[in-house]
mmCIF file of all heavy atoms in Angstrom:
data_model
loop_
_atom_site.group_PDB
_atom_site.id
_atom_site.type_symbol
_atom_site.label_atom_id
_atom_site.label_comp_id
_atom_site.label_asym_id
_atom_site.label_seq_id
_atom_site.Cartn_x
_atom_site.Cartn_y
_atom_site.Cartn_z
ATOM 1 N N CYS A 99 -56.041 173.959 42.058
ATOM 2 C CA CYS A 99 -54.666 173.524 41.775
ATOM 3 C C CYS A 99 -54.065 174.328 40.621
ATOM 4 O O CYS A 99 -52.885 174.687 40.649
ATOM 5 C CB CYS A 99 -54.650 172.036 41.433
ATOM 6 S SG CYS A 99 -55.026 170.951 42.828
ATOM 7 N N GLY A 100 -54.899 174.609 39.624
ATOM 8 C CA GLY A 100 -54.422 175.390 38.477
ATOM 9 C C GLY A 100 -54.022 176.796 38.877
ATOM 10 O O GLY A 100 -52.979 177.313 38.446
ATOM 11 N N VAL A 101 -54.835 177.422 39.723
ATOM 12 C CA VAL A 101 -54.507 178.775 40.197
ATOM 13 C C VAL A 101 -53.217 178.742 41.023
ATOM 14 O O VAL A 101 -52.362 179.627 40.903
ATOM 15 C CB VAL A 101 -55.663 179.352 41.043
ATOM 16 C CG1 VAL A 101 -55.256 180.665 41.684
ATOM 17 C CG2 VAL A 101 -56.891 179.566 40.169
ATOM 18 N N GLY A 102 -53.060 177.704 41.835
ATOM 19 C CA GLY A 102 -51.834 177.566 42.619
ATOM 20 C C GLY A 102 -50.602 177.462 41.736
ATOM 21 O O GLY A 102 -49.561 178.066 42.020
ATOM 22 N N ALA A 103 -50.719 176.683 40.655
ATOM 23 C CA ALA A 103 -49.595 176.546 39.718
ATOM 24 C C ALA A 103 -49.278 177.886 39.047
ATOM 25 O O ALA A 103 -48.108 178.252 38.880
ATOM 26 C CB ALA A 103 -49.936 175.498 38.656
ATOM 27 N N LEU A 104 -50.311 178.635 38.685
ATOM 28 C CA LEU A 104 -50.105 179.927 38.036
ATOM 29 C C LEU A 104 -49.427 180.922 38.975
ATOM 30 O O LEU A 104 -48.535 181.679 38.568
ATOM 31 C CB LEU A 104 -51.447 180.490 37.549
ATOM 32 C CG LEU A 104 -52.083 179.774 36.352
ATOM 33 C CD1 LEU A 104 -53.466 180.337 36.070
ATOM 34 C CD2 LEU A 104 -51.210 179.915 35.114
ATOM 35 N N VAL A 105 -49.852 180.931 40.245
ATOM 36 C CA VAL A 105 -49.230 181.829 41.219
ATOM 37 C C VAL A 105 -47.754 181.476 41.404
ATOM 38 O O VAL A 105 -46.899 182.360 41.541
ATOM 39 C CB VAL A 105 -49.973 181.770 42.568
ATOM 40 C CG1 VAL A 105 -49.202 182.525 43.648
ATOM 41 C CG2 VAL A 105 -51.369 182.355 42.424
ATOM 42 N N ASN A 106 -47.441 180.182 41.391
ATOM 43 C CA ASN A 106 -46.049 179.753 41.523
ATOM 44 C C ASN A 106 -45.218 180.217 40.328
ATOM 45 O O ASN A 106 -44.066 180.645 40.479
ATOM 46 C CB ASN A 106 -45.982 178.236 41.651
ATOM 47 C CG ASN A 106 -44.598 177.760 42.058
ATOM 48 O OD1 ASN A 106 -44.014 178.284 42.999
ATOM 49 N ND2 ASN A 106 -44.074 176.782 41.348
ATOM 50 N N VAL A 107 -45.809 180.158 39.140
ATOM 51 C CA VAL A 107 -45.117 180.646 37.935
ATOM 52 C C VAL A 107 -44.854 182.150 38.047
ATOM 53 O O VAL A 107 -43.766 182.645 37.718
ATOM 54 C CB VAL A 107 -45.952 180.340 36.670
ATOM 55 C CG1 VAL A 107 -45.360 181.055 35.449
ATOM 56 C CG2 VAL A 107 -46.004 178.841 36.414
ATOM 57 N N ILE A 108 -45.870 182.879 38.518
ATOM 58 C CA ILE A 108 -45.714 184.331 38.708
ATOM 59 C C ILE A 108 -44.571 184.625 39.671
ATOM 60 O O ILE A 108 -43.753 185.525 39.439
ATOM 61 C CB ILE A 108 -47.025 184.939 39.248
ATOM 62 C CG1 ILE A 108 -48.119 184.892 38.167
ATOM 63 C CG2 ILE A 108 -46.810 186.385 39.695
ATOM 64 C CD1 ILE A 108 -49.482 185.297 38.669
ATOM 65 N N ASN A 109 -44.496 183.842 40.747
ATOM 66 C CA ASN A 109 -43.435 184.032 41.733
ATOM 67 C C ASN A 109 -42.057 183.786 41.121
ATOM 68 O O ASN A 109 -41.110 184.547 41.336
ATOM 69 C CB ASN A 109 -43.669 183.096 42.917
ATOM 70 C CG ASN A 109 -42.716 183.354 44.067
ATOM 71 O OD1 ASN A 109 -42.250 184.471 44.264
ATOM 72 N ND2 ASN A 109 -42.415 182.319 44.822
ATOM 73 N N LYS A 110 -41.922 182.727 40.320
ATOM 74 C CA LYS A 110 -40.644 182.391 39.692
ATOM 75 C C LYS A 110 -40.208 183.457 38.695
ATOM 76 O O LYS A 110 -39.013 183.686 38.499
ATOM 77 C CB LYS A 110 -40.773 181.037 38.974
ATOM 78 C CG LYS A 110 -40.999 179.848 39.894
ATOM 79 C CD LYS A 110 -39.791 179.553 40.761
ATOM 80 C CE LYS A 110 -40.008 178.299 41.595
ATOM 81 N NZ LYS A 110 -38.843 178.019 42.468
ATOM 82 N N LEU A 111 -41.156 184.111 38.068
ATOM 83 C CA LEU A 111 -40.840 185.115 37.051
ATOM 84 C C LEU A 111 -40.689 186.526 37.627
ATOM 85 O O LEU A 111 -40.546 187.491 36.874
ATOM 86 C CB LEU A 111 -41.928 185.116 35.975
ATOM 87 C CG LEU A 111 -42.050 183.834 35.135
ATOM 88 C CD1 LEU A 111 -43.229 183.930 34.176
ATOM 89 C CD2 LEU A 111 -40.761 183.576 34.361
ATOM 90 N N GLY A 112 -40.751 186.645 38.939
ATOM 91 C CA GLY A 112 -40.570 187.952 39.559
ATOM 92 C C GLY A 112 -41.835 188.763 39.673
ATOM 93 O O GLY A 112 -41.792 189.980 39.913
ATOM 94 N N GLY A 113 -42.975 188.110 39.516
ATOM 95 C CA GLY A 113 -44.245 188.830 39.574
ATOM 96 C C GLY A 113 -44.582 189.348 40.957
ATOM 97 O O GLY A 113 -45.275 190.360 41.092
ATOM 98 N N ILE A 114 -44.088 188.648 41.991
ATOM 99 C CA ILE A 114 -44.372 189.075 43.358
ATOM 100 C C ILE A 114 -43.826 190.486 43.603
ATOM 101 O O ILE A 114 -44.498 191.351 44.169
ATOM 102 C CB ILE A 114 -43.771 188.092 44.388
ATOM 103 C CG1 ILE A 114 -44.409 186.705 44.246
ATOM 104 C CG2 ILE A 114 -43.953 188.621 45.803
ATOM 105 C CD1 ILE A 114 -45.888 186.668 44.484
ATOM 106 N N VAL A 150 -51.568 179.094 48.614
ATOM 107 C CA VAL A 150 -51.314 180.082 47.560
ATOM 108 C C VAL A 150 -51.192 181.497 48.127
ATOM 109 O O VAL A 150 -50.181 182.176 47.934
ATOM 110 C CB VAL A 150 -52.432 180.045 46.493
ATOM 111 C CG1 VAL A 150 -52.208 181.141 45.444
ATOM 112 C CG2 VAL A 150 -52.494 178.679 45.823
#
Side-chain angles (χ1 to χ4, degrees):
C99 291
V101 172
L104 289 174
V105 171
N106 191 48
V107 170
I108 291 172
N109 187 29
K110 294 292 184 181
L111 295 176
I114 297 299
V150 176

